[in-house]
Amino acid sequence: MSGIRAVRQTAGAAGQDGQQEGQAALGRMPEWDLGDLYPAPDSAELERDFALCESEAKALAADCAGRIGSLDGAALAQAIRRYEVLDERLSRLVSYASLVYARDVSDPKSGQFMQQAQERANEIVSGLLFFTLELNLIPDGELAEKLKDPGLAAYEPWLRDQRVFRPYQLDQSLETLLHERSLTARQAWSRLFDETTAAMRFPVPASDEDGAAVEELSLEVALHRLSDRDPAVRRRTGRALGRTFQKDIRLFALITNTLAKDKEIEDRWRKLPAPETARHLANLVEPEVVQALQDAVTAAHPRLSHRYYALKAKWFGTDQLDWWDRNAPLPEAEDRTIPWAEARDIVLDAYRRFSPQLAEIGQRFFDHPWIDAPARPGKAAGAFAHPVVPSVHPYLLVNYQGKTRDVMTLAHELGHGVHQVLAGGQGHFLSQTPLTLAETASVFGEQLTFRAMLEAAGPQKRKMMLAAKVEDMLNTVVRQMAFYDFERRIHGERRQGELSADRISEIWLTVQRESLGPALRFDADYGSFWCYIPHFVHSPFYVYAYAFGDCLVNALYGLYQQAEEGFAERYLDMLRAGGAKRHKELLAPFGLDAADPAFWARGLDVIAGFIDELEELS
């Protein structure tokens, strides 16, 4: 069904478990109360809603199956409304199960509850696949006549987006088969990946001496240690990560090969021309626009990532940095812990300077238990904003550790949350924003927060903040497009046969060297780092949405800096539109066009300009 929503995860956010240092310095942090959804997994309210979904799905099928095309405009609008109400209730159920699981992915009961909820929802959805399939069989001319009804016209954007998949849909029996077996195919392999990475522990020696005490770190803690001030800590942690990944590399290779083959089979049956086509269709973005983005980023490697990492190597007194030093803090960087309350105020103040309304909506997340901030054993890694359903509210998850980068992650996820609240007025179906536009508010929120902090910084602090921002932007643009390139190569080669773990690692290292440049030194230990990236497993080809959003926000922020009257209101209108408009319509009021190569150049020039300033400061 179109509305059952997946958790949206961000790239590069870090979590931490009970081993973290300085937890007390962060102050009291909020945790979720999921009671706005359901009192408990075994509650009567949850069972009641599942029963309602089951009965309404049967009633809808009895009334409409085989008849969608014959309904007049008013009757079709009424049927879609019934379908939307049902879908929203079912999305609420599945969202609750996902959030319960995210609180502790290591808890077998949470995993079992999520699996049971997904299986039950899957069975309900199977009986409703006819709905959109029959909608897509209505000839264009007949649908145009039906759309003269005002009630149906309100759903025109949703109908338009559903029909994007018309050329690739299969008959109902095949669609039902693919849908029902997803629980034992992609979803099962994704769960295996999640539970494997959550259970992994990385043995990091306390020193280089023989017999030194060894600390067993979770994945998120270990990844966070790659930003430690001590180069020896970064080196030992990096080695522990690479060697531990290598122990399970055959399992990760099996997951990668199986999911790529599973996708190839479905793509072949649907006659999709390329592995990434389905993602472009879901994102409502033209392939040539994404290709223009990739070409622009690849061409910019020398003036962006290659130039910056060469500059960073000089700051460290060398010509080359080891890979574990890529995100190392600069030698003179501050290492101050930012308490949670201060982070909250920094973000909300930055939002308020742009728009009081933006800050007011953001404040709600802190006034209510809608954010889960502290790191805990078993908690889902990274960070995300889950939209849930418009009739409730979004929930945010972060793993806050008190660094400037964590403040930016908070600003990012709050941007998602505010966007989801504003778009909620469109209703359940039309509030759902394509991924390419879903990153706009989050990255814009980061940019507002960064600029506010930068204004208050002295010269030395300014250099540190600019360097950190450049690294984040390179991670968001260059690295995510490199991930996209890696996925294209993997899925392309997999169509010729299974790839060995060594071959996957070889492709990974090739892409990393090409994108990040000669100032970084990679070795065999880094060759296994592809295996922990969740987007490759959960959402193939998702990653280019980050680069799309970053470049889009850079262009938008440039207009904002020109102090155009009414910019903030036009921006909020864009967020309110949700999925009712596509990127061309949304960008038109700002005079921007993603199909124009100059659009991407404008966004990349912002990164290059920051590097220019860093060279001057150095």
Side-chain angles (χ1 to χ4, degrees):
M1 286 179 87
S2 62
I4 294 181
R5 302 177 178 202
V7 173
R8 179 176 294 121
Q9 294 184 306
T10 63
Q16 194 170 357
D17 64 17
Q19 302 161 325
Q20 78 272 26
E21 299 170 3
Q23 177 71 43
L26 301 177
R28 185 178 180 181
M29 292 187 284
E31 298 185 27
W32 283 335
D33 179 353
L34 301 180
D36 288 347
L37 291 169
Y38 295 100
D42 59 354
S43 64
E45 291 87 343
L46 185 139
E47 178 57 35
R48 177 205 63 202
D49 276 3
F50 259 125
L52 279 172
C53 287
E54 289 164 348
S55 61
E56 177 56 23
K58 291 176 182 177
L60 186 61
D63 293 343
C64 298
R67 299 182 56 239
I68 294 294
S70 65
L71 298 176
D72 63 23
L76 184 56
Q78 184 180 18
I80 292 175
R81 177 57 185 156
R82 288 176 64 186
Y83 181 66
E84 182 179 28
V85 170
L86 168 59
D87 192 90
E88 181 166 2
R89 183 177 289 117
L90 199 54
S91 294
R92 179 174 180 153
L93 288 159
V94 174
S95 294
Y96 177 69
S98 297
L99 295 173
V100 168
Y101 181 62
R103 286 194 302 197
D104 188 356
V105 299
S106 65
D107 179 12
K109 291 184 179 179
S110 295
Q112 183 182 41
F113 171 60
M114 184 187 71
Q115 182 68 18
Q116 290 173 341
Q118 287 180 336
E119 289 180 3
R120 197 168 178 182
N122 208 51
E123 184 175 350
I124 295 169
V125 171
S126 291
L128 293 169
L129 290 178
F130 76 89
F131 200 95
T132 52
L133 294 175
E134 291 186 30
L135 277 176
N136 285 347
L137 293 176
I138 301 173
D140 291 338
E142 289 184 20
L143 183 61
E145 283 297 314
K146 296 176 191 292
L147 283 167
K148 292 178 180 179
D149 177 82
L152 186 61
Y155 285 104
E156 191 279 331
W158 179 77
L159 288 165
R160 172 202 64 194
D161 295 345
Q162 292 299 309
R163 290 166 77 84
V164 165
F165 291 91
R166 285 177 74 193
Y168 311 108
Q169 74 178 29
L170 305 173
D171 65 53
Q172 186 171 334
S173 60
L174 285 173
E175 292 287 358
T176 302
L177 172 64
L178 288 172
H179 176 76
E180 290 187 357
R181 71 180 296 275
S182 66
L183 286 172
T184 56
R186 174 165 295 279
Q187 291 185 42
W189 288 99
S190 296
R191 181 180 173 186
L192 174 63
F193 172 86
D194 287 344
E195 295 185 3
T196 299
T197 54
M200 293 181 82
R201 292 296 179 265
F202 300 85
V204 180
S207 72
D208 293 329
E209 298 178 3
D210 292 338
V214 173
E215 190 174 8
E216 298 282 339
L217 303 181
S218 67
L219 173 59
E220 291 303 310
V221 179
L223 291 172
H224 183 66
R225 292 279 178 91
L226 294 180
S227 299
D228 196 273
R229 293 190 61 80
D230 187 341
V233 169
R234 297 194 299 270
R235 172 176 49 79
R236 290 194 295 268
T237 305
R239 293 297 187 204
L241 280 161
R243 291 167 185 173
T244 305
F245 286 149
Q246 193 62 38
K247 291 179 181 178
D248 285 322
I249 202 70
R250 291 180 61 190
L251 172 60
F252 289 116
L254 177 61
I255 293 172
T256 299
N257 274 287
T258 302
L259 290 177
K261 183 61 178 178
D262 181 79
K263 188 177 192 310
E264 184 272 327
I265 293 170
E266 182 169 341
D267 287 352
R268 175 159 37 87
W269 276 83
R270 294 189 183 282
K271 295 182 171 57
L272 290 162
E276 62 272 18
T277 299
R279 178 61 61 192
H280 298 337
L281 292 170
N283 285 346
L284 305 174
V285 64
E286 301 79 7
E288 56 270 22
V289 170
V290 181
Q291 188 62 50
L293 169 61
Q294 184 176 37
D295 290 345
V297 173
T298 300
H301 285 165
R303 69 188 181 102
L304 298 181
S305 49
H306 295 191
R307 179 163 63 122
Y308 173 75
Y309 290 120
L311 181 62
K312 185 171 184 176
K314 289 182 181 179
W315 292 336
F316 279 77
T318 183
D319 294 328
Q320 267 194 320
L321 292 171
D322 288 305
W323 59 262
W324 53 76
D325 290 330
R326 182 173 62 85
N327 288 324
L330 301 191
E332 64 271 39
E334 295 180 6
D335 198 25
R336 184 177 76 89
T337 295
I338 302 172
W340 172 259
E342 183 180 345
R344 174 200 62 207
D345 293 345
I346 289 171
V347 173
L348 288 177
D349 287 348
Y351 276 40
R352 190 172 295 108
R353 289 172 60 182
F354 174 74
S355 164
Q357 184 180 0
L358 201 70
E360 184 276 325
I361 298 172
Q363 182 71 54
R364 299 179 202 171
F365 287 82
F366 297 94
D367 291 343
H368 301 90
W370 300 354
I371 305 176
D372 197 305
R376 298 185 302 273
K379 180 179 174 181
F384 63 71
H386 196 313
V388 189
V389 291
S391 57
V392 188
H393 56 77
Y395 281 91
L396 311 185
L397 180 145
V398 296
N399 282 279
Y400 189 76
Q401 300 175 70
K403 304 305 177 188
T404 300
R405 187 164 290 168
D406 297 311
V407 179
M408 296 301 151
T409 297
L410 176 61
H412 181 106
E413 299 308 333
L414 189 65
H416 277 310
V418 169
H419 188 181
Q420 291 156 4
V421 170
L422 286 167
Q426 295 288 342
H428 178 59
F429 280 165
L430 292 178
S431 66
Q432 300 174 48
T433 310
L435 291 178
T436 44
L437 297 173
E439 293 300 327
T440 304
S442 55
V443 179
F444 198 86
E446 276 191 79
Q447 190 73 267
L448 291 172
T449 303
F450 169 74
R451 298 280 184 167
M453 296 178 73
L454 191 65
E455 285 180 16
Q460 187 59 32
K461 178 66 173 176
R462 183 179 181 86
K463 176 185 174 183
M464 299 304 103
M465 290 193 63
L466 281 171
K469 184 61 175 174
V470 166
E471 292 190 14
D472 283 344
M473 296 174 90
L474 293 178
N475 283 336
T476 302
V477 177
V478 173
R479 194 161 188 253
Q480 297 302 318
M481 290 311 297
F483 285 177
Y484 177 65
D485 184 24
F486 171 76
E487 286 189 277
R488 293 182 75 182
R489 298 190 195 196
I490 292 296
H491 284 264
E493 284 200 22
R494 180 63 182 91
R495 294 190 171 198
Q496 308 306 315
E498 185 165 296
L499 284 72
S500 67
D502 287 344
R503 177 56 184 155
I504 299 173
S505 296
E506 181 182 355
I507 295 171
W508 170 260
L509 287 173
T510 297
V511 169
Q512 296 301 304
R513 290 181 177 119
E514 290 173 356
S515 60
L516 300 180
L520 285 171
R521 183 187 299 114
F522 297 101
D523 60 19
D525 278 350
Y526 193 69
S528 59
F529 268 59
W530 55 269
C531 74
Y532 82 89
I533 309 296
H535 296 83
F536 298 159
V537 174
H538 296 298
S539 306
F541 303 103
Y542 177 109
V543 289
Y544 72 75
Y546 291 116
F548 194 111
D550 201 81
C551 289
L552 169 58
V553 165
N554 287 341
L556 282 173
Y557 200 87
L559 296 178
Y560 169 56
Q561 287 182 306
Q562 296 169 14
E564 288 191 6
E565 186 176 352
F567 178 90
E569 189 54 40
R570 276 183 289 151
Y571 173 77
L572 291 178
D573 284 343
M574 180 177 69
L575 301 188
R576 291 187 189 102
K581 296 181 180 180
R582 294 189 179 177
H583 64 85
K584 287 185 178 180
E585 299 172 272
L586 290 172
L587 295 179
F590 302 96
L592 299 173
D593 181 4
D596 182 359
F599 172 82
W600 301 117
R602 181 184 301 193
L604 297 173
D605 284 347
V606 172
I607 308 175
F610 284 159
I611 301 174
D612 290 342
E613 184 174 349
L614 282 170
E615 288 181 331
E616 293 173 5
L617 289 172
S618 301

